[in-house]
Amino acid sequence: MRRGKPCRKDTLSFRQVLPRTLVGVLVENDAPLAPLTTLRLGGPARRLVTAHTDDEVIAAVREADAAGEPLLVLGGGSNLVIGDAGFPGTVLRIATEGFVLDGTALEVAAGETWSEVVHRTVLDHDLAGIEFLAGIPGSAGATPVQNVGAYGQEVAQSITEVVAYDRAADEVVTLSNAECAFSYRHSRFKAEPDRYVVLRVRFRLEDNGGLSTPIRYAETARQLGVEQGERVAVAAAWNTVLLLRAGKGMVLDPADHDTWSAGSFFTNPVLTAAQYESFRTRPGTENAPAYPAPEGCTKTSAAWLIDRAGFGKGYGSGPATLSTKHTLALTNRGSATAEDLLVLAREIRDGVREAFGVELVNEPVMVGVAL
Ligand SMILES: Cc1cc2nc3c(=O)[nH]c(=O)nc-3n(C[C@H](O)[C@H](O)[C@H](O)COP(=O)(O)OP(=O)(O)OC[C@H]3O[C@@H](n4cnc5c(N)ncnc54)[C@H](O)[C@@H]3O)c2cc1C
């Protein structure tokens, strides 16, 4: 892990240039958080600070830490379930900007909108590496947190370094890809949630003469009319992913309540050999999806389990229901509270456990609530 400067252009040590107080940032008290999340539910923040530069981010974190104040870092709010009581501390909204492309080396500020980053690398620069991650909501800075992935690609494959403020050491550090400890929807940042605030993310993209990375996902290959493993024009890959995602309500659309979600609410369960054996003794599991996972484990599909346990698309009659387009997305139909959503989530988790003996785990981060 390298320590020191926040980005390559800085020449002074970070400690010398950091302000100690909040200057120029936007501070609001008792601020509603629901509109800042894609689920559009949850209570207010005692204090909401919006930071536009790395210095402002770090100063805000330091001030909260010095005061012993609880801190929640907020990007696009697309992977959060905030409890109805809200957050009794400082919510730090990261609104930093920066997109620097040097050949195939890309550095983006944490506050950049991820889908726009992908759009620019593909359509403006014909580069591959993150094209299958099109349309994923949220900020660039959150992508390493849960190792964002879709359609056979994940950011762990292209991230070279993450520049972060280390709250424990009170300094800016640069973590290599290996130091980020990426795994399926997980990373060092998720394992130590109160330690790092991501400031910048660096990627190594691919210049394949306008071609994508090899297509790994059967559904994308089918839609493009090619075989898995083939490459297509990078813009065609990007466009196809957006079409597929839109059909599942996985591209944000304020007018469509099926997208008032946090994306997939449960991760795909990864079963040990013994757990998988026991799972396969249950009736109806002969055709359950099964993919090899590290350490002899097997990954199965949360969507398949939920559907077969009796919770089909659109399940539910209250203000929170399953999406009518995707079994894995729990949605707010307009007036849901966090509790409404959690009641539904618990019903589904318990139903899957009863039917298949598998414990579903939530993917979004819970704030002040638990499943
Ligand atoms: C419709 C929809 C589709 C989705 N599809 C996918 C998908 O295909 N694949 C996938 O992986 N995810 C998907 N998601 C989930 C979500 O978009 C991603 O997890 C995204 O990276 C979250 O980014 P965010 O900025 O909104 O994070 P937030 O929701 O604001 O925060 C999520 C977590 O990250 C932390 N965090 C945010 N920014 C920082 C930072 N700069 N430093 C440190 N911690 C930070 C927060 O404290 C919180 O713990 C989807 C969500 C929705 C609503």
Side-chain angles (χ1 to χ4, degrees), residues 254-270:
D256 181 357
H257 283 284
D258 279 336
T259 75
W260 289 32
S261 76
S264 301
F265 196 88
F266 297 105
T267 52
N268 287 323
V270 177

mmCIF file with all atom_site columns, all heavy atoms in Angstrom, residues 254-270:
data_model
loop_
_atom_site.group_PDB
_atom_site.id
_atom_site.type_symbol
_atom_site.label_atom_id
_atom_site.label_alt_id
_atom_site.label_comp_id
_atom_site.label_asym_id
_atom_site.label_entity_id
_atom_site.label_seq_id
_atom_site.pdbx_PDB_ins_code
_atom_site.Cartn_x
_atom_site.Cartn_y
_atom_site.Cartn_z
_atom_site.occupancy
_atom_site.B_iso_or_equiv
_atom_site.pdbx_formal_charge
_atom_site.auth_seq_id
_atom_site.auth_comp_id
_atom_site.auth_asym_id
_atom_site.auth_atom_id
_atom_site.pdbx_PDB_model_num
ATOM 1   N N   . PRO A 1 254 ? -37.253 7.139   -13.503 1.00 0.00 ? 254 PRO A N   1
ATOM 2   C CA  . PRO A 1 254 ? -38.093 7.658   -12.422 1.00 0.00 ? 254 PRO A CA  1
ATOM 3   C C   . PRO A 1 254 ? -39.568 7.345   -12.615 1.00 0.00 ? 254 PRO A C   1
ATOM 4   O O   . PRO A 1 254 ? -40.321 7.240   -11.653 1.00 0.00 ? 254 PRO A O   1
ATOM 5   C CB  . PRO A 1 254 ? -37.856 9.170   -12.469 1.00 0.00 ? 254 PRO A CB  1
ATOM 6   C CG  . PRO A 1 254 ? -36.594 9.354   -13.239 1.00 0.00 ? 254 PRO A CG  1
ATOM 7   C CD  . PRO A 1 254 ? -36.439 8.175   -14.152 1.00 0.00 ? 254 PRO A CD  1
ATOM 8   N N   . ALA A 1 255 ? -40.009 7.173   -13.863 1.00 0.00 ? 255 ALA A N   1
ATOM 9   C CA  . ALA A 1 255 ? -41.434 6.934   -14.117 1.00 0.00 ? 255 ALA A CA  1
ATOM 10  C C   . ALA A 1 255 ? -41.810 5.464   -13.925 1.00 0.00 ? 255 ALA A C   1
ATOM 11  O O   . ALA A 1 255 ? -42.991 5.128   -13.933 1.00 0.00 ? 255 ALA A O   1
ATOM 12  C CB  . ALA A 1 255 ? -41.766 7.369   -15.549 1.00 0.00 ? 255 ALA A CB  1
ATOM 13  N N   . ASP A 1 256 ? -40.826 4.607   -13.765 1.00 0.00 ? 256 ASP A N   1
ATOM 14  C CA  . ASP A 1 256 ? -41.084 3.164   -13.693 1.00 0.00 ? 256 ASP A CA  1
ATOM 15  C C   . ASP A 1 256 ? -40.748 2.649   -12.291 1.00 0.00 ? 256 ASP A C   1
ATOM 16  O O   . ASP A 1 256 ? -39.573 2.525   -11.925 1.00 0.00 ? 256 ASP A O   1
ATOM 17  C CB  . ASP A 1 256 ? -40.232 2.446   -14.756 1.00 0.00 ? 256 ASP A CB  1
ATOM 18  C CG  . ASP A 1 256 ? -40.470 0.945   -14.754 1.00 0.00 ? 256 ASP A CG  1
ATOM 19  O OD1 . ASP A 1 256 ? -41.250 0.461   -13.901 1.00 0.00 ? 256 ASP A OD1 1
ATOM 20  O OD2 . ASP A 1 256 ? -39.863 0.260   -15.597 1.00 0.00 ? 256 ASP A OD2 1
ATOM 21  N N   . HIS A 1 257 ? -41.808 2.314   -11.530 1.00 0.00 ? 257 HIS A N   1
ATOM 22  C CA  . HIS A 1 257 ? -41.588 1.873   -10.137 1.00 0.00 ? 257 HIS A CA  1
ATOM 23  C C   . HIS A 1 257 ? -40.788 0.572   -10.068 1.00 0.00 ? 257 HIS A C   1
ATOM 24  O O   . HIS A 1 257 ? -40.234 0.254   -9.009  1.00 0.00 ? 257 HIS A O   1
ATOM 25  C CB  . HIS A 1 257 ? -42.928 1.723   -9.412  1.00 0.00 ? 257 HIS A CB  1
ATOM 26  C CG  . HIS A 1 257 ? -43.500 3.037   -8.998  1.00 0.00 ? 257 HIS A CG  1
ATOM 27  N ND1 . HIS A 1 257 ? -43.034 3.752   -7.932  1.00 0.00 ? 257 HIS A ND1 1
ATOM 28  C CD2 . HIS A 1 257 ? -44.483 3.794   -9.544  1.00 0.00 ? 257 HIS A CD2 1
ATOM 29  C CE1 . HIS A 1 257 ? -43.703 4.880   -7.810  1.00 0.00 ? 257 HIS A CE1 1
ATOM 30  N NE2 . HIS A 1 257 ? -44.583 4.939   -8.791  1.00 0.00 ? 257 HIS A NE2 1
ATOM 31  N N   . ASP A 1 258 ? -40.731 -0.181  -11.142 1.00 0.00 ? 258 ASP A N   1
ATOM 32  C CA  . ASP A 1 258 ? -39.898 -1.390  -11.125 1.00 0.00 ? 258 ASP A CA  1
ATOM 33  C C   . ASP A 1 258 ? -38.415 -1.056  -10.962 1.00 0.00 ? 258 ASP A C   1
ATOM 34  O O   . ASP A 1 258 ? -37.606 -1.938  -10.662 1.00 0.00 ? 258 ASP A O   1
ATOM 35  C CB  . ASP A 1 258 ? -40.107 -2.208  -12.413 1.00 0.00 ? 258 ASP A CB  1
ATOM 36  C CG  . ASP A 1 258 ? -41.362 -3.059  -12.343 1.00 0.00 ? 258 ASP A CG  1
ATOM 37  O OD1 . ASP A 1 258 ? -41.798 -3.372  -11.215 1.00 0.00 ? 258 ASP A OD1 1
ATOM 38  O OD2 . ASP A 1 258 ? -41.900 -3.394  -13.404 1.00 0.00 ? 258 ASP A OD2 1
ATOM 39  N N   . THR A 1 259 ? -38.062 0.208   -11.195 1.00 0.00 ? 259 THR A N   1
ATOM 40  C CA  . THR A 1 259 ? -36.646 0.588   -11.025 1.00 0.00 ? 259 THR A CA  1
ATOM 41  C C   . THR A 1 259 ? -36.412 1.325   -9.699  1.00 0.00 ? 259 THR A C   1
ATOM 42  O O   . THR A 1 259 ? -35.308 1.755   -9.432  1.00 0.00 ? 259 THR A O   1
ATOM 43  C CB  . THR A 1 259 ? -36.144 1.466   -12.202 1.00 0.00 ? 259 THR A CB  1
ATOM 44  O OG1 . THR A 1 259 ? -36.679 2.791   -12.066 1.00 0.00 ? 259 THR A OG1 1
ATOM 45  C CG2 . THR A 1 259 ? -36.538 0.886   -13.553 1.00 0.00 ? 259 THR A CG2 1
ATOM 46  N N   . TRP A 1 260 ? -37.463 1.456   -8.879  1.00 0.00 ? 260 TRP A N   1
ATOM 47  C CA  . TRP A 1 260 ? -37.289 2.067   -7.554  1.00 0.00 ? 260 TRP A CA  1
ATOM 48  C C   . TRP A 1 260 ? -36.789 0.967   -6.602  1.00 0.00 ? 260 TRP A C   1
ATOM 49  O O   . TRP A 1 260 ? -37.507 0.479   -5.740  1.00 0.00 ? 260 TRP A O   1
ATOM 50  C CB  . TRP A 1 260 ? -38.599 2.641   -7.041  1.00 0.00 ? 260 TRP A CB  1
ATOM 51  C CG  . TRP A 1 260 ? -39.062 3.869   -7.767  1.00 0.00 ? 260 TRP A CG  1
ATOM 52  C CD1 . TRP A 1 260 ? -38.871 4.183   -9.079  1.00 0.00 ? 260 TRP A CD1 1
ATOM 53  C CD2 . TRP A 1 260 ? -39.827 4.945   -7.207  1.00 0.00 ? 260 TRP A CD2 1
ATOM 54  N NE1 . TRP A 1 260 ? -39.461 5.385   -9.377  1.00 0.00 ? 260 TRP A NE1 1
ATOM 55  C CE2 . TRP A 1 260 ? -40.057 5.878   -8.243  1.00 0.00 ? 260 TRP A CE2 1
ATOM 56  C CE3 . TRP A 1 260 ? -40.348 5.220   -5.947  1.00 0.00 ? 260 TRP A CE3 1
ATOM 57  C CZ2 . TRP A 1 260 ? -40.772 7.054   -8.046  1.00 0.00 ? 260 TRP A CZ2 1
ATOM 58  C CZ3 . TRP A 1 260 ? -41.070 6.385   -5.753  1.00 0.00 ? 260 TRP A CZ3 1
ATOM 59  C CH2 . TRP A 1 260 ? -41.270 7.299   -6.790  1.00 0.00 ? 260 TRP A CH2 1
ATOM 60  N N   . SER A 1 261 ? -35.564 0.584   -6.811  1.00 0.00 ? 261 SER A N   1
ATOM 61  C CA  . SER A 1 261 ? -35.027 -0.579  -6.106  1.00 0.00 ? 261 SER A CA  1
ATOM 62  C C   . SER A 1 261 ? -33.578 -0.311  -5.716  1.00 0.00 ? 261 SER A C   1
ATOM 63  O O   . SER A 1 261 ? -33.067 0.792   -5.912  1.00 0.00 ? 261 SER A O   1
ATOM 64  C CB  . SER A 1 261 ? -35.076 -1.801  -7.041  1.00 0.00 ? 261 SER A CB  1
ATOM 65  O OG  . SER A 1 261 ? -34.030 -1.732  -8.007  1.00 0.00 ? 261 SER A OG  1
ATOM 66  N N   . ALA A 1 262 ? -32.932 -1.330  -5.193  1.00 0.00 ? 262 ALA A N   1
ATOM 67  C CA  . ALA A 1 262 ? -31.486 -1.252  -4.973  1.00 0.00 ? 262 ALA A CA  1
ATOM 68  C C   . ALA A 1 262 ? -30.820 -2.299  -5.869  1.00 0.00 ? 262 ALA A C   1
ATOM 69  O O   . ALA A 1 262 ? -29.796 -2.870  -5.527  1.00 0.00 ? 262 ALA A O   1
ATOM 70  C CB  . ALA A 1 262 ? -31.158 -1.482  -3.504  1.00 0.00 ? 262 ALA A CB  1
ATOM 71  N N   . GLY A 1 263 ? -31.421 -2.561  -7.019  1.00 0.00 ? 263 GLY A N   1
ATOM 72  C CA  . GLY A 1 263 ? -30.915 -3.625  -7.909  1.00 0.00 ? 263 GLY A CA  1
ATOM 73  C C   . GLY A 1 263 ? -31.238 -4.972  -7.304  1.00 0.00 ? 263 GLY A C   1
ATOM 74  O O   . GLY A 1 263 ? -32.288 -5.157  -6.676  1.00 0.00 ? 263 GLY A O   1
ATOM 75  N N   . SER A 1 264 ? -30.336 -5.915  -7.454  1.00 0.00 ? 264 SER A N   1
ATOM 76  C CA  . SER A 1 264 ? -30.554 -7.249  -6.869  1.00 0.00 ? 264 SER A CA  1
ATOM 77  C C   . SER A 1 264 ? -30.532 -7.127  -5.351  1.00 0.00 ? 264 SER A C   1
ATOM 78  O O   . SER A 1 264 ? -29.560 -6.612  -4.790  1.00 0.00 ? 264 SER A O   1
ATOM 79  C CB  . SER A 1 264 ? -29.455 -8.210  -7.310  1.00 0.00 ? 264 SER A CB  1
ATOM 80  O OG  . SER A 1 264 ? -29.460 -8.293  -8.719  1.00 0.00 ? 264 SER A OG  1
ATOM 81  N N   . PHE A 1 265 ? -31.592 -7.611  -4.701  1.00 0.00 ? 265 PHE A N   1
ATOM 82  C CA  . PHE A 1 265 ? -31.648 -7.435  -3.244  1.00 0.00 ? 265 PHE A CA  1
ATOM 83  C C   . PHE A 1 265 ? -30.857 -8.516  -2.518  1.00 0.00 ? 265 PHE A C   1
ATOM 84  O O   . PHE A 1 265 ? -30.377 -8.305  -1.407  1.00 0.00 ? 265 PHE A O   1
ATOM 85  C CB  . PHE A 1 265 ? -33.104 -7.444  -2.763  1.00 0.00 ? 265 PHE A CB  1
ATOM 86  C CG  . PHE A 1 265 ? -33.247 -6.889  -1.383  1.00 0.00 ? 265 PHE A CG  1
ATOM 87  C CD1 . PHE A 1 265 ? -33.426 -5.529  -1.178  1.00 0.00 ? 265 PHE A CD1 1
ATOM 88  C CD2 . PHE A 1 265 ? -33.167 -7.710  -0.270  1.00 0.00 ? 265 PHE A CD2 1
ATOM 89  C CE1 . PHE A 1 265 ? -33.515 -4.993  0.095   1.00 0.00 ? 265 PHE A CE1 1
ATOM 90  C CE2 . PHE A 1 265 ? -33.263 -7.186  1.021   1.00 0.00 ? 265 PHE A CE2 1
ATOM 91  C CZ  . PHE A 1 265 ? -33.435 -5.826  1.193   1.00 0.00 ? 265 PHE A CZ  1
ATOM 92  N N   . PHE A 1 266 ? -30.721 -9.692  -3.162  1.00 0.00 ? 266 PHE A N   1
ATOM 93  C CA  . PHE A 1 266 ? -29.972 -10.786 -2.528  1.00 0.00 ? 266 PHE A CA  1
ATOM 94  C C   . PHE A 1 266 ? -28.811 -11.193 -3.435  1.00 0.00 ? 266 PHE A C   1
ATOM 95  O O   . PHE A 1 266 ? -28.949 -11.194 -4.659  1.00 0.00 ? 266 PHE A O   1
ATOM 96  C CB  . PHE A 1 266 ? -30.885 -12.004 -2.305  1.00 0.00 ? 266 PHE A CB  1
ATOM 97  C CG  . PHE A 1 266 ? -32.028 -11.741 -1.355  1.00 0.00 ? 266 PHE A CG  1
ATOM 98  C CD1 . PHE A 1 266 ? -33.325 -11.572 -1.830  1.00 0.00 ? 266 PHE A CD1 1
ATOM 99  C CD2 . PHE A 1 266 ? -31.820 -11.660 0.015   1.00 0.00 ? 266 PHE A CD2 1
ATOM 100 C CE1 . PHE A 1 266 ? -34.377 -11.336 -0.956  1.00 0.00 ? 266 PHE A CE1 1
ATOM 101 C CE2 . PHE A 1 266 ? -32.871 -11.416 0.891   1.00 0.00 ? 266 PHE A CE2 1
ATOM 102 C CZ  . PHE A 1 266 ? -34.157 -11.255 0.403   1.00 0.00 ? 266 PHE A CZ  1
ATOM 103 N N   . THR A 1 267 ? -27.701 -11.560 -2.831  1.00 0.00 ? 267 THR A N   1
ATOM 104 C CA  . THR A 1 267 ? -26.583 -12.083 -3.631  1.00 0.00 ? 267 THR A CA  1
ATOM 105 C C   . THR A 1 267 ? -26.866 -13.547 -3.973  1.00 0.00 ? 267 THR A C   1
ATOM 106 O O   . THR A 1 267 ? -27.654 -14.216 -3.289  1.00 0.00 ? 267 THR A O   1
ATOM 107 C CB  . THR A 1 267 ? -25.246 -12.004 -2.854  1.00 0.00 ? 267 THR A CB  1
ATOM 108 O OG1 . THR A 1 267 ? -25.422 -12.632 -1.587  1.00 0.00 ? 267 THR A OG1 1
ATOM 109 C CG2 . THR A 1 267 ? -24.796 -10.571 -2.643  1.00 0.00 ? 267 THR A CG2 1
ATOM 110 N N   . ASN A 1 268 ? -26.212 -14.021 -5.027  1.00 0.00 ? 268 ASN A N   1
ATOM 111 C CA  . ASN A 1 268 ? -26.347 -15.433 -5.375  1.00 0.00 ? 268 ASN A CA  1
ATOM 112 C C   . ASN A 1 268 ? -25.635 -16.265 -4.309  1.00 0.00 ? 268 ASN A C   1
ATOM 113 O O   . ASN A 1 268 ? -24.448 -16.032 -4.040  1.00 0.00 ? 268 ASN A O   1
ATOM 114 C CB  . ASN A 1 268 ? -25.744 -15.695 -6.755  1.00 0.00 ? 268 ASN A CB  1
ATOM 115 C CG  . ASN A 1 268 ? -26.619 -15.129 -7.856  1.00 0.00 ? 268 ASN A CG  1
ATOM 116 O OD1 . ASN A 1 268 ? -27.841 -15.164 -7.769  1.00 0.00 ? 268 ASN A OD1 1
ATOM 117 N ND2 . ASN A 1 268 ? -25.996 -14.580 -8.884  1.00 0.00 ? 268 ASN A ND2 1
ATOM 118 N N   . PRO A 1 269 ? -26.329 -17.231 -3.699  1.00 0.00 ? 269 PRO A N   1
ATOM 119 C CA  . PRO A 1 269 ? -25.699 -17.995 -2.616  1.00 0.00 ? 269 PRO A CA  1
ATOM 120 C C   . PRO A 1 269 ? -24.519 -18.832 -3.119  1.00 0.00 ? 269 PRO A C   1
ATOM 121 O O   . PRO A 1 269 ? -24.608 -19.454 -4.182  1.00 0.00 ? 269 PRO A O   1
ATOM 122 C CB  . PRO A 1 269 ? -26.816 -18.913 -2.126  1.00 0.00 ? 269 PRO A CB  1
ATOM 123 C CG  . PRO A 1 269 ? -28.076 -18.327 -2.642  1.00 0.00 ? 269 PRO A CG  1
ATOM 124 C CD  . PRO A 1 269 ? -27.733 -17.603 -3.898  1.00 0.00 ? 269 PRO A CD  1
ATOM 125 N N   . VAL A 1 270 ? -23.450 -18.825 -2.354  1.00 0.00 ? 270 VAL A N   1
ATOM 126 C CA  . VAL A 1 270 ? -22.282 -19.665 -2.661  1.00 0.00 ? 270 VAL A CA  1
ATOM 127 C C   . VAL A 1 270 ? -22.273 -20.767 -1.597  1.00 0.00 ? 270 VAL A C   1
ATOM 128 O O   . VAL A 1 270 ? -22.127 -20.492 -0.403  1.00 0.00 ? 270 VAL A O   1
ATOM 129 C CB  . VAL A 1 270 ? -20.981 -18.833 -2.638  1.00 0.00 ? 270 VAL A CB  1
ATOM 130 C CG1 . VAL A 1 270 ? -19.778 -19.727 -2.882  1.00 0.00 ? 270 VAL A CG1 1
ATOM 131 C CG2 . VAL A 1 270 ? -21.043 -17.720 -3.689  1.00 0.00 ? 270 VAL A CG2 1
#
